[in-house]
Amino acid sequence: KKLSGIVLAVYLMGYGLMVFCIEFIRLDSQKIIGSPFSIEHIVAAAMFLFGLIILLDQIHKYRLLTKAQPKNLTTGKNK
């Protein structure tokens, strides 16, 4: 349960980054007027950002869960 959502986040970030870079190499993509980017760049950047948001949310939830667990007073370790 600890990795819930993290795999999806890493996939979205990796795939988005890969597509963003590969779209610069493609010669048949239509660029947005006045910029070096295409619609595919925008979609890939959105995928990366969405993955980043999911990853940060999962890290935040994990930190809240680990702080909420009571510690054993004698050893100082979580139960």
Side-chain angles (χ1 to χ4, degrees), residues 15-55:
Y15 187 77
L17 184 64
M18 182 183 69
V19 169
F20 189 86
C21 293
I22 288 176
E23 286 301 319
F24 281 114
I25 299 170
R26 288 186 59 184
L27 300 175
D28 61 342
S29 62
Q30 294 188 5
K31 306 291 183 195
I32 297 173
I33 297 172
S35 76
F37 303 112
S38 65
I39 296 297
E40 289 84 5
H41 283 110
I42 305 300
V43 172
M47 286 176 63
F48 181 84
L49 290 176
F50 188 63
L52 183 62
I53 289 169
I54 293 172
L55 182 64

Side-chain angles (χ1 to χ4, degrees), residues 54-69:
I54 293 172
L55 182 64
L56 293 175
D57 180 60
Q58 292 299 317
I59 291 171
H60 178 71
K61 286 180 183 177
Y62 178 74
R63 286 185 179 169
L64 288 177
L65 286 175
T66 56
K67 284 183 181 179
Q69 293 178 352

